[in-house]
Amino acid sequence: MILFLPRPISIANLSNNIITFLYEVRGKGTHIISKLNQGGDKLELLGPLGNGFDLNIKGKIALISGGIGIAPMIYLAKELEGDIDFYCGFRNEVYYIDIIKEDVDNLFISTEDGSLGHKGL
Ligand SMILES: Cc1cc2nc3c(=O)[nH]c(=O)nc-3n(C[C@H](O)[C@H](O)[C@H](O)COP(=O)(O)OP(=O)(O)OC[C@H]3O[C@@H](n4cnc5c(N)ncnc54)[C@H](O)[C@@H]3O)c2cc1C
């Protein structure tokens, strides 16, 4: 068991008793997480924490997020009923959009370097 202070990480998916986290290696804690061995190492989780999202919203919904901030929106998009426009912005590297596409009606991408989608924020 590896011990370190908790870091807030969103639930990116929950399916068939498996929780998915999408994370970016930023510092020491996320670096340690990235080195965990599948099937061998264990992590202690505390949660879910926070207020969550209102899932009773219906109709046309816009979800807006940037970078790793897309993580909680992926699971939210799955759970919401309605027409979902998903706006996501990235600096340069675009990730996870093939999975996001499965659960949204329209996907709008922007990149700061213009490599994909709208150029800008
Ligand atoms: C609500 C919420 C949801 C988030 N969801 C995600 C997500 O889904 N995916 C994702 O990638 N990121 C997410 N983040 C951001 C993520 O929490 C940070 O990127 C992560 O905590 C960085 O941890 P780190 O150790 O790699 O970085 P560091 O910058 O090294 O450390 C993070 C924090 O821990 C403190 N710290 C580090 N070591 C110690 C120590 N020994 N003692 C005391 N304090 C210490 C640092 O001062 C810093 O404030 C979320 C953040 C919030 C607030």
Side-chain angles (χ1 to χ4, degrees):
M1 171 91 68
I2 294 166
L3 290 174
F4 60 99
L5 291 173
R7 307 297 200 262
I9 300 288
S10 309
I11 295 174
N13 197 18
L14 187 57
S15 159
N16 299 326
N17 254 357
I18 295 174
I19 303 176
T20 303
F21 299 107
L22 176 66
Y23 67 93
E24 201 170 72
V25 176
R26 295 296 284 267
K28 199 173 172 186
T30 45
H31 176 74
I32 291 171
I33 293 172
S34 75
K35 298 294 172 200
L36 292 176
N37 287 315
Q38 196 178 16
D41 295 327
K42 288 184 179 167
L43 274 180
E44 192 174 285
L45 303 182
L46 172 68
L49 302 174
N51 295 320
F53 297 102
D54 182 357
L55 299 179
N56 294 314
I57 297 169
K58 303 265 187 276
K60 199 156 173 59
I61 300 166
L63 299 181
I64 305 168
S65 57
I68 200 61
I70 64 170
M73 301 298 180
I74 298 164
Y75 187 37
L76 178 62
K78 275 192 154 191
E79 294 296 305
L80 284 171
E81 288 171 28
D83 297 332
I84 300 176
D85 290 345
F86 196 116
Y87 296 84
C88 49
F90 300 88
R91 272 197 201 99
N92 42 35
E93 192 191 358
V94 173
Y95 45 84
Y96 234 72
I97 53 172
D98 288 340
I99 294 183
I100 294 169
K101 264 184 199 158
E102 292 171 10
D103 295 295
V104 303
D105 296 281
N106 297 299
L107 179 63
F108 302 92
I109 298 167
S110 72
T111 49
E112 288 179 36
D113 68 356
S115 54
L116 192 70
H118 170 78
K119 184 177 188 317
L121 296 173

